[in-house]
Amino acid sequence: MSRRDTGADEQRVLAEQIAYYRARAPEYDDWFYRRGAFDNGAEWNGRWRAELDELAGALDRARPGGNVLELACGTGLWTERLAPYAAALTCVDASPEVLALNRQRMRGSRIRYVCADLFHWRPTARYDFIFFGFWLSHVPAGSFIRFWSLVGDCLAPGGRVFFADNRLPPDGWRDALRRDGSARSRRRLTDGREFEIVKIYHRPDDLEAHVKSLGWRAVVRGTPTFFLHGTAVRRRQPHHRPGRLR
């Protein structure tokens, strides 16, 4: 496949990925709360909840505050944890459907919502703390550097980044996802529709090394089974204007 064909295929999958999360909005929280097809029994569900608590504790220790940016904010599962810390909070997502659910969950909170594709969005401000949860695994390998350049463009001097994501599920876990061992995954909604999306299960040590190679001081850790989480700060401040993607 030529580079042009590869680029066209990636754009197709990214468009399908947005369509999937728009269509999945009403049932997205079932995954988080282990309901329906995502109910893996008392033992696994208990581990899941315990490790989500571990993620939440790691986010608390990262000390979010000031002008906060949440990328790929989804239905607000993490927005509600960030909001009490933030002096101002901006949430960006490509799906108007999940933004509507986020607004409903966060009713009464002063949040700026932006509906935009993160692969094309440019910041107009700098932020003291940036969070993205369960998003990095949906960034194609060919866009990884560009995405972290965007994160750098969003970050104020001295600002900090925190992220969380999936680890590769262990053998024996009845995952509702169908994986083919590549960076692509087929996802099925409860109505039977199927979509192809990007899904890369990063190893914590490899991810830490990769982010460090891009000029960040980073620490990435994994929970025992399901998740990884990391923090990152810039080693040096870039000499370019906000909103300009290198």
Side-chain angles (χ1 to χ4, degrees), residues 182-229:
S182 72
R184 304 286 175 84
S185 179
R186 297 293 301 178
R187 299 293 180 89
R188 176 179 291 178
L189 299 177
T190 55
D191 64 9
R193 284 180 292 167
E194 289 194 354
F195 299 80
E196 185 177 34
I197 67 167
V198 175
K199 189 64 179 180
I200 301 174
Y201 292 95
H202 296 281
R203 289 170 49 94
D205 52 350
D206 291 341
L207 181 57
E208 179 179 303
H210 198 176
V211 175
K212 284 181 175 178
S213 75
L214 302 180
W216 297 81
R217 293 198 305 271
V219 177
V220 181
R221 296 288 183 263
T223 65
T225 305
F226 298 112
F227 309 117
L228 60 80
H229 56 87

Side-chain angles (χ1 to χ4, degrees), residues 1-12 184:
M1 185 180 290
S2 69
R3 181 175 298 179
R4 179 178 297 177
D5 290 340
T6 300
D9 181 63
E10 181 176 289
Q11 291 306 308
R12 175 192 63 78
R184 304 286 175 84

